[in-house]
Amino acid sequence: GHVVRNWKVRWFVLLQDKLLYYKIEGGKKEPSPKGRILLDGCTIICPCLEYENRPLLIKLKTKTNTDYFLECCSREERDSWALDITGAIHAGHPVQVQELHRMKNSFKLLDNISLHDIVERMYDSNTGIKLTRNLDQGNRYKETFTGSALVDWLISNSFAVSRFEAVTLASMLMDENFIRPVGTRSTEATRFSDPSEKFLDDSTALYMFAENGKKNASSKEEVQFNISELSGTIVKQGFLVKQGHKRKNWKVRKFVLRADPAFLHYYDPTKEDNKPVGGFSLRGCLVSALEDNGVPAGVKGNVQGNLFKIITKNDIHYYIQASSKAERVQWIEAIKPLT
């Protein structure tokens, strides 16, 4: 919200000169927009790093200096929205739009490599990146690495062929919250540098694995539990509507589907901490579409259409609604191989 700084799920529609957003009730978009963002004179910042726990943000500043923060489900979705919004802002300048498309396609991660694979290799005790203690203005940081060290490591392990590609790749790791800046040099760069230069190929810029800086885990067991469930490769993610187990009410949740290990977690997108509010192993689960001709058994409220059900091996039933039949099919096809 641009008045009260809370987070709400909204359905966005991009028009030629404005961005409309709608409330979602019962899994459906309300007919009238809740608000609009006029794009004339807007400035867009992407990626926006003002919220540490929300690395997938787009920031829009209107010509009246009103700030809007929009969170997406994935880096690809964020970049796609940012490109289209920028195109709408600069609709009268086709040369700028062409340059944006060229820049977007100037670097692509190898098809057979994921960011998760790179981070896993970075953690390797023998061949991974070397972690050291470093000082910055009197502060002692444990298990850090410098920007130039990471660039060297990415090139030596054939993840990049040039320092430009390595810096771009390191920026992606930071955007996805795998690594984070610590110390004055690297932190200041994220705030004031051009987005393409926010990661520094510099021997005085310090970085660390994002999870090393977390202080909110209550015990060693909790850390191990989180790592075991949340370390899998993200297969699919997006917003769906889920029926609660106790109140049987329907709420929008951000779902993240992971493989190896196979888990489905869901998050409350209005919360700041970006932690799952629930989740379950997919091993032994059954997933199926529900008929659209009325309210199925087990579903409370007048919620119809695009529903599917997941039954865990412990016989817990989850009722979930997609925004369309096509999206429902995509989720079911993504989940089935992991059961």
Side-chain angles (χ1 to χ4, degrees), residues 5-263:
R5 295 290 183 178
N6 54 357
W7 295 88
K8 298 286 187 182
V9 176
R10 295 289 183 254
W11 180 269
F12 280 83
V13 176
L14 176 61
L15 302 180
Q16 185 174 3
D17 59 346
K18 64 179 70 74
L19 192 60
L20 304 179
Y21 52 94
Y22 299 77
K23 290 182 67 176
I24 299 176
E25 292 292 343
K28 295 183 179 180
K29 172 175 72 72
E30 290 192 343
S32 299
K34 174 72 175 175
R36 67 194 65 210
I37 304 171
L38 299 178
L39 297 178
D40 180 40
C42 254
T43 301
I44 183 170
I45 299 173
C46 179
C48 171
L49 302 176
E50 293 189 25
Y51 290 85
E52 182 179 353
N53 293 326
R54 294 180 181 270
L56 301 179
L57 287 183
I58 297 170
K59 179 180 179 180
L60 290 176
K61 180 182 286 291
T62 70
K63 65 179 181 181
T64 59
N65 288 324
T66 301
D67 292 341
Y68 291 87
F69 295 90
L70 317 178
E71 182 180 33
C72 301
C73 291
S74 65
R75 183 181 184 277
E76 292 75 19
E77 185 182 67
R78 181 200 63 194
D79 292 350
S80 177
W81 271 99
L83 189 71
D84 290 337
I85 292 171
T86 305
I89 293 173
H90 299 294
H93 305 279
V95 174
Q96 291 186 16
V97 177
Q98 291 176 5
E99 179 65 13
L100 286 167
H101 281 276
R102 188 196 67 76
M103 290 175 60
K104 178 186 177 185
N105 297 319
S106 63
F107 173 78
K108 289 186 177 180
L109 192 61
L110 296 175
D111 292 337
N112 61 335
I113 295 293
S114 72
L115 296 181
H116 289 85
D117 295 333
I118 294 174
V119 174
E120 186 174 346
R121 290 273 296 277
M122 288 175 66
Y123 271 110
D124 189 282
S125 58
N126 295 318
T127 61
I129 192 163
K130 302 303 179 185
L131 302 177
T132 60
R133 294 174 179 265
N134 279 287
L135 289 172
D136 182 85
Q137 293 192 349
N139 296 313
R140 181 180 294 275
Y141 297 99
K142 298 179 180 179
E143 298 186 324
T144 63
F145 46 88
T146 66
S148 56
L150 178 54
V151 169
D152 291 340
W153 185 89
L154 290 169
I155 294 173
S156 65
N157 283 272
S158 302
F159 290 119
V161 297
S162 67
R163 300 196 80 80
F164 168 77
E165 285 193 4
V167 168
T168 305
L169 188 50
S171 297
M172 293 168 64
L173 292 171
M174 194 162 63
D175 290 347
E176 296 298 316
N177 209 29
F178 287 112
I179 63 174
R180 67 183 184 91
V182 292
T184 305
R185 181 90 170 95
S186 55
T187 303
E188 290 296 309
T190 64
R191 294 176 181 172
F192 301 109
S193 292
D194 182 87
S196 64
E197 300 173 349
K198 61 187 175 297
F199 180 89
L200 299 177
D201 181 4
D202 191 309
S203 61
T204 63
L206 302 181
Y207 299 87
M208 69 190 310
F209 291 114
E211 66 178 29
N212 286 356
K214 294 181 179 177
K215 301 178 181 179
N216 51 9
S218 61
S219 65
K220 184 177 180 180
E221 289 73 23
E222 183 180 344
V223 172
Q224 293 298 326
F225 174 79
N226 289 335
I227 290 175
S228 65
E229 286 198 12
L230 303 175
S231 63
T233 301
I234 295 178
V235 176
K236 185 175 177 61
Q237 57 184 324
F239 291 100
L240 299 166
V241 185
K242 173 186 166 294
Q243 179 177 272
H245 287 298
K246 295 180 180 179
R247 295 186 183 180
K248 305 299 181 184
N249 55 349
W250 292 83
K251 292 187 176 181
V252 176
R253 293 289 181 251
K254 178 181 176 181
F255 280 79
V256 178
L257 176 63
R258 293 180 172 89
D260 300 322
F263 274 85

Side-chain angles (χ1 to χ4, degrees), residues 301-330:
N302 188 27
V303 177
Q304 303 179 35
N306 310 320
L307 292 166
F308 63 99
K309 178 171 67 173
I310 302 175
I311 305 175
T312 71
K313 64 180 180 180
N314 296 326
D315 199 33
I316 299 175
H317 294 224
Y318 290 85
Y319 295 94
I320 303 169
Q321 183 182 45
S323 62
S324 65
K325 287 184 174 63
E327 186 181 46
R328 176 174 66 180
V329 170
Q330 291 170 6

